């Protein structure tokens, strides 16, 4: 197969498949080979499902030959290993689920399957999506394709690294506190976290139910638009899924930005933001002005409290969500339990890694008798304050912008000893999760050879507008099409 | 059991009356939906282990709950029936604890905002006085699975078929003052849920069970004593026995200088005693918080009005109507309305013998109830249709047969399933109402007993009974008693 | 905010997590610092604020029709189970 096909966007690949420029089997084999070649260096995958992928690709080719099949027929992608995939090991990056084969497909997986997508494998991730560097994975850290001494970000680090190294044209991901946007920024790719309730959570292994949202990492906003259309929508199996029509996101990508009001998140341009990163962000904002948008500073006074609010709500929900892993019906069971208590304690003690245990204990503590009001209830109230701040801001502007992360990618091991420092990495991304807002990170330049991400946040269900805003920037720039030399 | 407990003497009434018992019940009624509260699994009883436990019921990674509309309607129905406020906005919460029959490590229940608020239930005590028992709240929750221990050496087997079965938990105020009151209350709730057709009430299968919170205090004391919670009582008899045992235990404990511990206890029906549950010994910290997988349940007025319109005539209303419509005593009306089926049966019978509602009541509560009870049958089992019993009562009413003969006919009907008329005909049990035939029999008896006749005529009035007996014997009991009396009197006087 | 060793052990017990002795001080230190971080919440005046349990305002629970949609798949589901017999999940003896 000819060189350079992996540099094509997903939109181009879908069109190429339809035009029979190449077959899905050829394409799938190409990506599978790239994944396998990259594994020693990047470790972006936990499972590579070659046989299933080739069978699915051949089926897709038959559909394409008969002019049948979904809109993404034959397009190979990767799934974050947090999504349940029938008959395929689904680990959530944890020893706890090292032996777990899901008997069912997550709704998102089933919908993409119905659209004709071919699954290449399961992307590596922080254990149970708890982490910002992909270092908490039981399967070892993922490395950043731009510099393998550095982290790719997390928790969707495998998904972001895979797309950055063009091991897949797209990878599904999830975002609880920044887990799509932060690795997308650190790997120089496009990440979209939809509105809470836009994409079904059924079959996505829960971390923090009121914050988790499935999304996508791609090279371009246009690619994200194509995939979101297939994976979004109401699901009767998810009580928190919203019954709102799914638009054709690609249809509005080119709508002009004249008159667009952009709010600069004042609180994000703080002392924690690296000056070089800030420069890239300001340059991106200048580009938007050229496109006809107007800028104004917007203050969300309660936003600095998002990290403390998040580190109550997310651990609380996680402590309860992860109680089902008890060594009885699935998952890791310790050897020769003495009694029931020993079965629970050792299975969970052995099955979970240090960060997961830390969050479970934090959550257990903040929910326990005598502390509920001071922590959990207080955090839920602060969450309301932050949400109200956003609502007020969206009365003035159409989209909020700022950095996705304070710095570019950091070294593997640099922050593992200090959880607080690690937590503060998500300082700019958590607000959108607390308020359930759609948000994106798009590449906006480089600092010392490392990508910088621009964050876009919009009102509920404004994905079409965000994609449009991102797409027009990508028409003006080429940051999103840069690929690390080794994978070019 | 300790020696002192085993040899405990019966407490005398005077001793016991120094103490007052305080009881509150938490009744769990399984709702008679088709599917589970948060999944589409069936809830039929007796399926093979785990055959009715799907991914949601098993708490598989990634699954989510979706609320069953019928469970909500049933809870609302119960709330309306006890005059409680229905919450326009209620919230599901997670109750977190580890137990093998609890697959997710939390039970989805309701905590701060239950669907049914305060209501009340009226009970009738043995002496006929009425008492109102307050209902604090009733909330929706999911049932847990079952741990099986028998035949499994060293291990327990977990069957999660029951996990996720919808329950309404009905929490009473601590308003009951004796085991008998507690049983009367539980029976009343049992009647009510079956009337409403929201629970099958099957206690053997665990569809209806309760936890009893029991404490004692010195008569006149204001503060409640420390309570013990007796878990999982699944018969009225066990409720009574367990509470009585527990009351004695607590009084003994306090009187011997000890203190009642707030704890969970289990009733052992074989030993007739309660014991501390080891597995629940540690103080539980359930860490309740709103379930983020479920949204607030918002009930609009139209749904509540709709459910209200579907309410059947409730037992109390029905009893009042029975008293006035059929002229029954409050007691009889109470007995006959104890279940919807019994009441319907009675009304079917009474309709056929419109002038004899009391006769109908006596037969339904008497002979029929005894026969059903003896054979362990249900009133609606079809053994003796109401029209058949009415057929018998008609013959009594029109004096074709006497009450005594009727019992014989009833027994034959019960055994053969034949109609009353066929049995009366076949056995020739028709009452003799032809006065010439009765007179003939009287004449014969008088002729055979000249001595007694002479004694009677000389003033021994008591011998009248002897002559009645002889004539009845001669007619095989078929002489119409009223006619016989009249004719005999005339003849004996000469 | 400083958590004691005993508090950490209690939390770990409540969460059914076995900790190695050397892990206890590690969690003692990090959880104490996390509680300091979340202690910043005290700065917010929330006197008249309603708690927010869910990110989308105004939505209420959808109700599912009462219908049986599931079949018996216990053999498939039990393929992930560490120990089963006769359709039952096995655990060390439960003492009641």
């Amino acid at each position: 197969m000819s060189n350079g096909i992996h540099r094509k966007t997903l939109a181009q690949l879908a069109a190429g498949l339809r035009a029979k420029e190449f077959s899905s089997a050829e394409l799938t084999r190409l990506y599978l080979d790239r994944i396998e070649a990259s594994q020693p260096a990047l470790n972006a995958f936990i499972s590579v499902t070659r046989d299933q992928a080739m069978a699915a690709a051949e089926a897709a080719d038959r559909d394409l030959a008969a002019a049948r099949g979904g809109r993404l027929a034959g397009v190979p992608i990767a799934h974050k290993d947090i999504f349940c995939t029938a008959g395929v090991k689904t680990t959530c990056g944890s020893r706890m689920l090292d032996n777990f084969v899901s008997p069912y497909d997550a709704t998102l997986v089933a919908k993409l399957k119905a659209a004709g997508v071919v699954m290449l494998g399961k992307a590596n991730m922080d254990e149970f999506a708890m982490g910002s560097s992909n270092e908490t994975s039981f399967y070892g850290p993922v490395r950043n394709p731009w510099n393998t001494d550095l982290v790719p970000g997390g928790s969707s680090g495998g998904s972001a690294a895979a797309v950055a190294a063009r091991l897949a044209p797209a990878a599904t991901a999830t975002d609880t506190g920044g887990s799509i946007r932060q690795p997308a920024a650190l790997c120089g790719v496009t990440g979209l976290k939809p509105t809470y309730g836009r994409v079904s959570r059924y079959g996505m292994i829960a971390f923090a139910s009121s914050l988790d949202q499935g999304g996508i990492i791609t090279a371009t906003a246009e690619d994200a638009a194509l995939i979101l259309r297939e994976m979004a929508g109401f699901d009767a199996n998810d009580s928190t899924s919203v019954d709102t029509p799914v638009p054709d996101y690609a249809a509005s990508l080119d709508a002009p930005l004249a008159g667009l009001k952009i709010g600069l998140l004042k609180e994000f341009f703080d002392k924690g933001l690296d000056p070089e990163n800030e420069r890239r962000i300001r340059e991106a904002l200048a580009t938007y002005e050229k496109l006809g948008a107007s800028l104004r500073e917007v203050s969300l006074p309660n936003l600095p409290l998002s990290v403390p609010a998040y580190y109550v709500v997310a651990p609380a929900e996680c402590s309860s969500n992860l109680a089902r892993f008890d060594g009885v019906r699935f998952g890791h069971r310790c050897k020769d339990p003495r009694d029931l208590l020993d079965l629970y304690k050792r299975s969970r003690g052995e099955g979970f890694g240090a960060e997961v245990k830390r969050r479970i204990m934090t959550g257990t503590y903040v929910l326990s008798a005598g502390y509920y009001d001071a922590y959990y209830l207080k955090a839920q109230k602060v969450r309301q304050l932050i949400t109200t701040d956003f609502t007020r801001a969206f009365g003035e502007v159409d989209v909020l912008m700022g950095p996705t992360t304070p710095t570019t990618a950091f070294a593997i091991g640099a922050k593992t000893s200090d959880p607080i420092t690690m937590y503060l990495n998500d300082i700019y991304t958590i607000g959108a999760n607390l308020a359930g807002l759609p948000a994106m990170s798009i590449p906006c330049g480089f600092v010392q050879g490392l990508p910088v991400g621009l964050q876009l946040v919009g009102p509920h269900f404004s994905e079409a507008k965000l994609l449009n805003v991102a797409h027009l920037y990508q028409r003006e720039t080429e940051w999103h099409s840069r690929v690390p030399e080794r994978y070019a | 059991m300790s020696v002192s407990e085993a040899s405990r003497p019966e407490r005398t009434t005077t001793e016991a009356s120094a103490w007052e018992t305080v009881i509150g019940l938490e009744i769990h009624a399984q709702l008679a939906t088709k599917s589970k509260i948060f999944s589409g699994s069936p809830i039929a009883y007796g399926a093979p282990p785990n055959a009715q436990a799907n991914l949601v019921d098993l708490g598989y990674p990634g699954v989510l709950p979706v609320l069953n509309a019928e469970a909500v309607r049933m809870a609302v129905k119960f709330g309306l029936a006890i005059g409680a406020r229905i919450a326009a906005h209620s919230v599901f919460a997670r109750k977190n604890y580890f137990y093998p029959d609890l697959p997710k490590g939390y039970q989805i229940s309701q905590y701060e905002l239950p669907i049914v608020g305060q209501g009340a239930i009226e009970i009738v005590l043995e002496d006929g006085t009425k008492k109102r028992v307050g209902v604090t709240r009733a909330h929706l929750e999911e049932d847990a699975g079952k741990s099986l221990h028998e035949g499994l050496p060293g291990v327990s087997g977990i069957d999660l078929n029951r996990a996720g079965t919808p329950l309404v938990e009905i929490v009473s105020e601590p308003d009951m003052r004796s085991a008998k009151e507690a049983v009367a209350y539980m029976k009343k709730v049992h009647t009510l849920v079956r009337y409403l057709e929201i629970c099958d009430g099957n206690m053997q299968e665990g569809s209806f069970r309760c936890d009893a919170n029991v404490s004692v205090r010195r008569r006149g004391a204001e503060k409640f004593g420390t309570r013990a919670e007796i878990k999982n009582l699944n018969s009225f008899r066990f409720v009574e026995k367990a509470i009585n045992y527990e009351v004695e235990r607590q009084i003994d404990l306090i009187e011997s200088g000890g203190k009642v511990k707030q704890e969970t206890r289990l009733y052992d029906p074989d030993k007739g005693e309660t014991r501390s549950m080891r597995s629940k010994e540690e103080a539980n910290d359930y860490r309740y918080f709103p379930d983020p997988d479920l949204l607030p349940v918002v009930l609009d007025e139209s749904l509540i009005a709709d459910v209200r319109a579907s309410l059947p005539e409730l037992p109390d209303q029905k009893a009042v109507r029975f008293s006035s419509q059929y002229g029954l005593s409050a007691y009889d009306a109470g007995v006959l309305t104890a279940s919807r089926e019994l009441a319907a049966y009675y009304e079917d019978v009474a309709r056929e013998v419109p002038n004899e509602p009391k006769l109908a009541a006596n037969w339904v509560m008497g002979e029929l109830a005894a026969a059903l009870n003896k054979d362990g049958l249900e009133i609606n089992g079809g053994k003796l249709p109401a029209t058949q019993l009415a057929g018998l009562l008609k013959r009594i009413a029109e004096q074709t047969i006497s009450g005594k003969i009727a019992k014989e006919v009833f027994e034959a009907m019960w055994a053969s399933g034949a109609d009353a008329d066929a049995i009366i005909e076949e056995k020739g049990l028709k009452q003799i109402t032809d006065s010439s035939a009765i007179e003939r029999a009287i004449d014969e008896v008088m002729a055979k007993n000249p001595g007694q006749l002479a004694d009677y005529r000389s003033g021994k009035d008591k011998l009248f009974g002897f002559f009645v007996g002889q004539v009845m014997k001669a007619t095989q009991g078929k002489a119409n008693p009223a006619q016989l009396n009249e004719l005999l009197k005339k003849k004996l006087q000469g | 905010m400083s958590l004691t060793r005993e508090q950490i052990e209690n939390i770990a017990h409540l969460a059914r997590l076995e900790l190695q002795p050397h892990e206890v001080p590690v969690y003692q230190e990090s959880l104490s610092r996390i509680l300091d971080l979340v202690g910043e919440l005290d700065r917010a005046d929330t006197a008249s604020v309603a708690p927010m349990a869910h990110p989308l305002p105004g939505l209420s629970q959808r109700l599912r029709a009462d219908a049986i949609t599931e079949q018996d798949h216990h053999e498939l589901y039990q393929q992930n189970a560490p120990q089963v017999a006769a359709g039952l999940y096995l655990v060390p003896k439960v003492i009641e």
Side-chain angles (χ1 to χ4, degrees):
Chain A
M1 211 172 151
S2 64
N3 258 345
I5 288 188
H6 63 276
R7 297 292 300 267
K8 288 183 185 288
T9 66
L10 181 134
Q12 290 164 341
L13 293 174
L17 284 163
R18 291 251 167 245
K20 315 269 189 324
E21 287 171 26
F22 35 76
S23 70
S24 176
E26 288 170 315
L27 206 53
T28 301
R29 193 172 297 113
L30 171 115
Y31 281 112
L32 287 167
D33 292 347
R34 287 180 66 82
I35 291 169
E36 276 166 13
S38 75
Q39 268 303 95
L42 298 181
N43 193 29
F45 282 77
I46 291 171
S47 306
V48 182
T49 51
R50 181 175 279 274
D51 294 347
Q52 290 103 315
M54 289 313 299
E58 281 155 19
D61 283 331
R62 286 192 292 276
D63 282 345
L64 285 163
R68 287 193 309 250
R71 283 188 286 258
L72 299 180
V75 174
I77 71 160
H79 282 304
K80 184 176 180 178
D81 207 16
I82 198 169
F83 291 106
C84 285
T85 43
V88 171
K89 194 166 92 154
T90 300
T91 70
C92 223
S94 182
R95 181 184 182 194
M96 181 57 87
L97 291 177
D98 186 41
N99 56 4
F100 180 74
V101 176
S102 174
Y104 77 110
D105 274 332
T107 301
L108 171 150
V109 170
K111 281 174 100 92
L112 288 175
K113 213 181 244 181
V117 154
V118 171
M119 175 176 76
L120 296 166
K122 307 293 293 284
N124 201 346
M125 57 182 284
D126 275 303
E127 184 180 10
F128 283 102
M130 297 172 201
S132 308
S133 65
N134 222 302
E135 290 166 289
T136 71
S137 171
F138 174 64
Y139 301 93
V142 176
R143 289 167 184 273
N144 193 315
W146 294 93
N147 177 342
T148 52
D149 292 333
L150 308 182
V151 303
S155 67
S156 310
S159 300
V163 176
R166 301 302 191 259
L167 312 179
T172 57
T174 61
D175 193 316
T176 306
S179 282
I180 290 176
R181 291 159 287 158
Q182 187 255 16
L186 301 193
C187 290
V189 289
T190 300
L192 167 65
K193 175 202 108 69
T195 307
Y196 183 86
R198 176 77 286 186
V199 172
S200 171
R201 293 188 297 115
Y202 190 80
M204 179 177 133
I205 299 177
F207 160 14
S209 312
S210 78
L211 301 162
D212 294 344
Q213 179 60 208
I216 190 75
I217 290 176
T218 51
T220 69
E222 183 187 15
D223 293 353
L226 294 180
I227 295 198
L228 182 63
R229 186 183 182 189
E230 305 307 325
M231 68 187 207
F234 174 69
D235 179 7
N237 287 328
D238 176 0
S239 297
T240 63
S241 127
V242 181
D243 197 356
T244 299
V246 178
D248 176 1
Y249 296 105
S252 52
L253 285 173
D254 292 308
L257 296 189
L260 181 80
K261 286 179 274 186
I262 297 173
L264 306 191
L265 279 164
K266 176 173 172 262
E267 285 72 18
F268 284 5
F269 294 90
D270 58 359
K271 60 182 184 333
L273 177 61
D274 176 89
E276 280 301 309
N277 282 50
E278 178 169 352
R279 200 158 299 142
R280 296 295 96 77
I281 301 294
R282 299 273 181 202
E283 286 162 9
L285 294 168
T287 303
Y288 274 110
E289 279 186 303
K290 269 199 296 183
L291 286 167
S294 63
L295 305 181
R296 76 177 72 170
E297 196 170 72
V298 177
S299 172
L300 276 68
N302 293 291
L303 202 52
L305 289 174
S306 31
V307 172
Y310 177 87
Y311 278 97
V312 172
V313 174
E317 293 182 5
C318 119
S319 71
S320 178
N321 282 335
L322 270 61
R324 70 192 61 205
F325 301 103
D326 59 4
V328 177
R329 296 164 317 287
F330 42 75
H332 177 74
R333 169 180 269 197
C334 67
K335 279 211 164 58
D336 306 320
R338 289 188 306 276
D339 54 26
L340 190 62
L341 190 62
D342 187 46
L343 167 77
Y344 285 153
K345 286 191 165 181
R346 275 202 292 134
S347 299
R348 291 167 58 78
E350 295 164 4
F352 294 136
E355 182 57 29
V356 171
K357 282 189 260 197
R358 182 170 8 256
R359 305 233 188 160
I360 290 175
M361 287 199 285
T362 305
T364 301
Y365 181 79
V366 298
L367 287 176
S368 63
Y371 300 104
Y372 179 83
D373 287 8
Y375 292 112
Y376 191 76
L377 206 61
K378 182 79 180 179
Q380 295 286 49
K381 288 177 179 176
V382 170
R383 188 174 181 184
Q384 184 61 64
L385 288 176
I386 292 167
T387 302
T388 308
D389 278 2
F390 273 112
T391 309
R392 199 179 300 121
F394 287 123
E396 295 173 25
V397 299
D398 302 312
V399 58
L400 291 164
M401 289 193 190
T404 307
T405 58
T407 64
T408 52
F410 47 91
I412 290 175
K415 298 184 180 186
T416 42
S417 60
D418 182 3
I420 303 287
T421 314
M422 188 70 91
Y423 294 174
L424 292 173
N425 238 297
D426 294 334
I427 192 158
Y428 303 146
T429 48
I430 280 172
N433 298 87
L434 290 172
L437 301 168
M440 290 185 74
S441 178
I442 54 174
C444 68
F446 287 79
V447 171
Q448 292 173 339
L450 295 173
V452 176
L454 171 73
Q455 187 177 199
L456 287 59
V457 184
H460 289 140
F461 298 103
S462 66
E463 286 83 356
K465 178 51 82 182
L466 288 183
L467 288 162
N468 163 221
V469 171
H471 177 69
L472 290 198
Y473 176 80
Q474 291 182 339
R475 250 178 22 186
E476 295 296 311
T477 58
E478 48 74 52
W479 308 117
H480 59 280
S481 52
R482 294 219 188 158
V483 177
E485 207 174 324
R486 193 172 159 190
Y487 302 96
Chain B
M1 184 162 49
S2 73
V3 177
S4 66
E5 272 177 304
S7 58
R8 178 200 294 128
E10 279 296 300
R11 190 176 302 278
T12 66
T13 329
T14 39
E15 264 180 318
S17 64
W19 293 92
E20 184 177 46
T21 305
V22 176
I23 304 158
L25 295 188
E26 290 166 17
I27 293 177
H28 292 90
Q30 279 184 359
L31 295 175
T33 51
K34 295 188 197 77
S35 64
K36 292 189 177 177
I37 185 167
F38 297 120
S39 86
S41 295
I43 59 168
Y45 183 82
N50 292 305
Q52 294 181 167
N54 79 0
L55 296 170
V56 172
D57 315 321
L58 294 169
Y60 247 72
V63 300
L64 296 168
V66 185
L67 182 58
N68 184 334
E70 197 54 32
V72 172
R73 287 180 64 90
M74 287 178 172
V76 170
K77 213 169 176 185
F78 178 79
L80 291 174
I82 61 162
R85 202 180 62 83
I86 307 301
H89 176 105
S90 65
V91 167
F92 281 96
R94 293 184 182 179
K95 179 182 182 178
N96 295 284
Y97 64 97
F98 287 90
Y99 210 66
D101 64 14
L102 188 71
K104 298 185 294 295
Y106 58 85
Q107 179 194 28
I108 305 177
S109 182
Q110 296 190 301
Y111 186 55
E112 280 180 337
L113 296 168
I115 189 161
V116 174
Q118 278 201 334
I121 284 172
E122 195 176 74
I123 57 171
V124 182
L125 306 180
E126 269 183 341
D127 62 1
T129 57
K130 289 178 174 172
K131 176 171 179 158
R132 243 174 87 94
V133 176
V135 171
T136 316
R137 58 184 284 169
H139 62 254
L140 280 167
E141 62 182 25
E142 57 179 345
D143 209 344
K146 285 180 183 167
S147 309
L148 309 168
H149 315 296
E150 268 157 49
L152 298 165
V155 295
S156 293
I158 309 300
D159 175 7
L160 296 170
N161 281 344
R162 199 178 68 174
T165 299
L167 292 177
V168 62
E169 177 174 334
I170 304 151
V171 183
S172 85
E173 295 287 329
D175 283 351
M176 288 153 280
R177 294 292 173 268
S178 69
K180 283 207 159 38
E181 285 186 23
V183 170
Y185 166 78
M186 193 178 177
K187 279 189 172 161
K188 188 61 181 283
V189 175
H190 189 250
T191 297
L192 198 55
V193 295
R194 285 161 63 240
Y195 256 72
L196 297 171
E197 293 176 325
I198 61 172
C199 174
D200 68 14
N202 190 322
M203 297 174 80
Q204 276 99 37
E205 292 177 4
S207 303
F208 189 85
R209 55 191 200 263
C210 85
D211 302 338
N213 286 301
V214 180
S215 65
V216 298
R217 61 179 168 186
R218 296 216 182 256
R219 205 162 284 281
E222 267 183 39
K223 260 185 72 184
F224 289 136
T226 306
R227 62 168 203 258
E229 183 182 12
I230 313 168
K231 280 272 178 205
N232 259 331
L233 296 162
N234 67 347
S235 89
F236 297 123
R237 206 158 49 87
F238 292 169
V239 168
E240 184 164 356
K241 287 185 155 181
I243 291 173
N244 281 333
Y245 175 89
E246 182 61 20
V247 167
E248 293 291 309
R249 187 188 71 85
Q250 291 187 10
I251 294 173
D252 275 356
L253 196 62
I254 300 169
E255 285 186 342
S256 60
K259 264 190 160 174
V260 175
K261 210 167 82 180
Q262 182 159 351
E263 63 179 350
T264 305
R265 298 180 70 85
L266 204 61
Y267 178 67
D268 182 338
D270 297 330
K271 292 183 180 159
E273 60 184 37
T274 66
R275 61 177 162 80
S276 187
M277 269 178 95
R278 277 214 272 157
S279 59
K280 307 241 165 155
E281 238 170 31
E282 67 180 278
N284 273 314
D285 185 343
Y286 291 124
R287 290 158 285 139
Y288 280 102
F289 74 106
D291 191 331
D293 288 335
L294 291 160
L295 301 176
V297 180
V298 176
L299 298 178
D300 55 26
E301 275 306 316
S302 71
L303 182 138
I304 295 172
D306 192 33
V307 175
R308 196 188 298 276
S310 76
L311 284 180
E313 185 183 29
L314 297 173
D316 288 353
Q317 298 164 342
K318 208 185 269 282
V320 168
R321 177 169 67 81
F322 275 25
S323 287
S324 65
Q325 184 177 341
Y326 302 114
L328 303 178
S329 70
Y331 177 81
D332 288 359
V335 172
L336 289 171
T337 53
S339 83
R340 226 168 141 169
E341 295 78 19
L342 178 62
Y345 187 97
Y346 168 73
E347 291 210 272
D348 287 346
V349 176
R351 201 173 301 117
E352 302 256 339
V353 284
N355 299 319
E356 301 286 347
K358 181 71 192 157
L359 179 73
N362 289 343
W363 275 82
V364 171
M365 294 188 298
E367 299 298 313
L368 178 66
L372 287 169
N373 194 32
K374 199 173 103 225
D375 291 359
L377 297 173
E378 296 294 330
I379 187 103
N380 54 346
K383 170 77 179 175
L384 185 70
T387 47
Q388 262 193 309
L389 181 64
L392 175 65
L393 301 192
K394 276 180 196 162
R395 299 298 162 255
I396 304 172
E398 67 197 25
Q399 303 198 336
T400 304
I401 54 172
S402 67
K404 192 160 169 261
I405 295 286
K407 289 185 183 177
E408 194 184 327
V409 177
F410 178 84
E411 273 173 35
M413 289 169 75
W414 191 258
S416 69
D419 284 347
D421 285 348
I423 291 163
I424 293 167
E425 186 65 33
E426 182 202 348
K427 296 198 171 181
L429 295 175
K430 214 172 213 164
Q431 203 159 245
I432 301 167
T433 50
D434 171 1
S435 48
S436 62
I438 297 173
E439 278 178 44
R440 242 185 345 264
I442 295 173
D443 289 343
E444 274 170 35
V445 169
M446 283 165 61
K448 271 188 202 158
N449 300 285
Q452 280 87 343
L453 183 63
D455 285 355
Y456 179 84
R457 286 187 170 155
S458 66
K460 273 200 162 176
D461 288 354
K462 275 195 283 182
L463 281 167
F464 187 74
F466 164 78
F467 285 103
V468 171
Q470 291 301 309
V471 178
M472 275 297 184
K473 200 172 161 192
T475 59
Q476 289 148 323
K478 288 182 289 185
N480 177 299
Q483 267 178 301
L484 169 59
N485 260 342
E486 200 184 318
L487 292 169
L488 189 61
K489 226 168 237 170
K490 229 186 274 168
K491 289 242 175 205
L492 286 174
Q493 278 162 6
Chain C
M1 183 85 200
S2 184
L3 293 171
T4 64
R5 194 184 170 91
E6 196 191 4
Q7 278 176 304
I8 293 294
E9 283 164 351
N10 284 340
I11 298 165
H13 174 70
L14 202 51
R16 299 293 185 270
L17 291 170
E18 185 180 71
L19 297 186
Q20 301 306 318
H22 70 269
E23 291 179 294
V24 177
V26 176
Y27 286 117
Q28 208 180 326
E29 199 260 347
S30 62
L31 258 70
S32 298
R33 290 187 56 212
I34 291 168
L35 291 178
D36 285 340
L37 172 77
V38 304
E40 287 175 31
L41 291 173
D42 291 341
R43 294 202 327 244
D45 176 9
T46 53
S48 57
V49 182
M52 174 175 155
H54 190 271
L56 295 176
L59 289 182
S60 60
Q61 179 60 37
R62 188 164 31 80
L63 301 178
R64 174 178 65 79
D66 179 25
I68 296 167
T69 54
E70 294 292 330
Q71 276 114 43
D72 176 10
H73 293 301
H74 77 275
E75 283 179 13
L76 172 67
Y77 300 159
Q78 291 186 341
Q79 282 172 14
N80 280 309
Q83 204 187 354
V84 286
L88 296 164
Y89 294 95
L90 299 187
V91 296
K93 196 81 160 176
V94 177
I95 302 155
E96 281 186 332

